[in-house]
Amino acid sequence: MIPVFDGHNDFLQRVVTGGTGVWLDGDGTGHLDLPRARAGGMIGGFFAIWIPSPQGPNDAAAVALMENPPFAMPLPEQIPFVQALPHAFAQAAALKALERTGTLDIVTTARGIRETVAAGRIAAIMHMEGAEAISDMDALHLWHAAGLRSLGPVWSRPTAYGHGVPFAFPSSPDTGDGLTDAGRTLVRECNGLRIMLDLSHLNEAGFNDVAALSTAPLVASHSCVHGVSRSSRNLTDRQLQVIADSRGLVGLNFASSFLREDGRRLPLEGFDTMLRHLDRLLAILGEDGVALGSDFDGALMPRDLPDAAALPALLAQMEAHGYGEALIRKIASENWINLLERTWGE
């Protein structure tokens, strides 16, 4: 089985509410747990700490709106630090609890990823999606000491550091202002600490600011191609070229609404559209710049890729599409590990 290293999941809140048994045995819900990860060949991934908004894209009213484009949802309000921090602590503690089960290691180096995988455990990267729980750079250093090695300055709402894109179709990602002064400081500090910066969810002006400031390879952990699906969340060919020029990487998001050419929040049928996104990514980023970023437990999955256990079906479709085994292995896991080695320096 070809191993898979995944660029993004939102599984930790399920552990907060359901305990480690949700990981060890599964509870029949969601997209990810240890049995399904094993069945899918998953060797590791980015486990996101994410603060939910009072109203979000998975609420019934939002789902109804997104099923029938065009739509343009307003950005949710900024989450205050004092509300965000308890959520972030609870999800970080949930990841630490998973580590204590002996099935998963929180990894902070590329060497650590390889050692964990060789030992038969899941390699988990502590990622923060939206920096609401980071009040200042002293707090960033504290999170780094706790194991944080990947950070997205925003989810799809404002933070003290920048502005996320709203959920909209059809729409450009050019939807607002760039990074704040605090956001520019955050980029420099993350570079100094070798924390990977994630551009997914950041609007185009913020993307441009990170690209101008950052000394690390540019990364969008879970994004799709605007040239295939005109969602505000997707990356234009120009943005993809900027990432390519930095020797960076894009992880393909499995969210049906960002994959579908019509932008509808309905399960994607078949794999042809996913392969169109991958073809376009490969044409711009090259074989070393494309990976997977599922968004498991955070989005509506395609009908034929409902959870982690179905990952081999996607890889089989890549092979049937003409991708050779070496390329499939790069996309499935090797590119992520090599990117992290370039970013973390170990």
Side-chain angles (χ1 to χ4, degrees), residues 86-99:
H87 284 280
F89 275 169
Q91 291 178 28
L95 185 57
K96 290 287 188 180
L98 295 185
E99 188 172 51

Side-chain angles (χ1 to χ4, degrees), residues 5 8 30 39 41 48 58 80 145-146 158 160 170 189 198 225 236 278 300 305 313 341:
F5 198 95
H8 188 88
N58 294 320
E189 205 73 15
D198 184 9
V225 178
T236 66
L278 284 171
L300 178 69
L305 190 52
E341 190 164 40

Side-chain angles (χ1 to χ4, degrees), residues 1 33-42 308-312:
M1 184 180 296
D33 49 48
L34 182 61
R36 285 182 285 182
R38 298 289 194 212
M42 190 170 161
L311 286 165

Side-chain angles (χ1 to χ4, degrees), residues 80-321:
F81 166 73
V82 293
Q83 294 179 19
L85 190 62
H87 284 280
F89 275 169
Q91 291 178 28
L95 185 57
K96 290 287 188 180
L98 295 185
E99 188 172 51
R100 292 195 298 274
T101 68
T103 63
L104 173 151
D105 294 337
I106 300 171
V107 294
T108 57
T109 66
R111 183 185 307 112
I113 294 173
R114 295 186 176 99
E115 291 173 350
T116 289
V117 172
R121 295 187 293 274
I122 300 290
I125 295 168
M126 185 188 292
H127 169 70
M128 189 176 289
E129 184 179 33
E132 291 91 349
I134 298 176
S135 58
D136 52 35
M137 295 307 100
D138 289 336
L140 178 68
H141 280 258
L142 185 61
W143 277 101
H144 178 268
L148 185 73
R149 291 297 182 274
S150 176
L151 174 67
V154 299
W155 180 68
S156 285
R157 62 182 170 231
T159 69
Y161 304 105
H163 301 271
V165 288
F167 293 95
F169 185 96
S171 173
S172 161
D174 185 11
T175 59
D177 296 334
L179 297 181
T180 64
D181 289 344
R184 295 182 179 90
T185 299
L186 180 71
V187 170
R188 297 186 186 99
E189 205 73 15
C190 284
N191 282 170
L193 291 169
R194 291 183 170 174
I195 294 172
M196 191 194 91
L197 285 161
D198 184 9
L199 297 165
S200 291
H201 284 284
L202 195 60
N203 67 4
E204 190 165 14
F207 175 103
N208 294 340
D209 287 341
V210 174
L213 288 167
S214 181
T215 58
L218 300 175
V219 177
S221 70
H222 59 303
S223 291
C224 296
V225 178
H226 195 272
V228 178
S229 176
R230 292 179 296 155
S231 169
S232 57
R233 262 283 277 118
N234 292 345
L235 298 170
T236 66
D237 285 358
R238 184 198 68 83
Q239 289 176 299
L240 295 174
Q241 187 61 58
V242 171
I243 294 172
D245 291 344
S246 77
R247 295 183 64 223
L249 179 148
V250 174
L252 179 69
N253 194 328
F254 299 175
S256 289
S257 56
F258 304 144
L259 290 166
R260 290 176 62 113
E261 295 174 62
D262 61 8
R264 300 183 73 189
R265 195 187 185 281
L266 296 172
L268 180 69
E269 303 283 349
F271 290 94
D272 288 349
T273 303
M274 296 187 78
L275 292 166
R276 283 193 64 203
H277 283 269
L278 284 171
D279 285 344
R280 188 74 160 261
L281 290 172
L282 287 165
I284 299 174
L285 291 148
E287 293 191 359
D288 297 328
V290 181
L292 303 178
S294 69
D295 213 355
F296 284 146
D297 286 315
L300 178 69
M301 293 291 109
R303 193 173 304 281
D304 297 313
L305 190 52
D307 55 30
L311 286 165
L314 173 59
L315 305 188
Q317 288 296 315
M318 290 185 199
E319 182 180 19
H321 189 60

Side-chain angles (χ1 to χ4, degrees), residues 315-338:
L315 305 188
Q317 288 296 315
M318 290 185 199
E319 182 180 19
H321 189 60
Y323 294 1
E325 182 177 343
L327 175 57
I328 295 171
R329 287 183 177 274
K330 283 185 174 186
I331 295 170
S333 64
E334 292 172 3
N335 284 346
W336 263 127
I337 298 170
N338 290 336

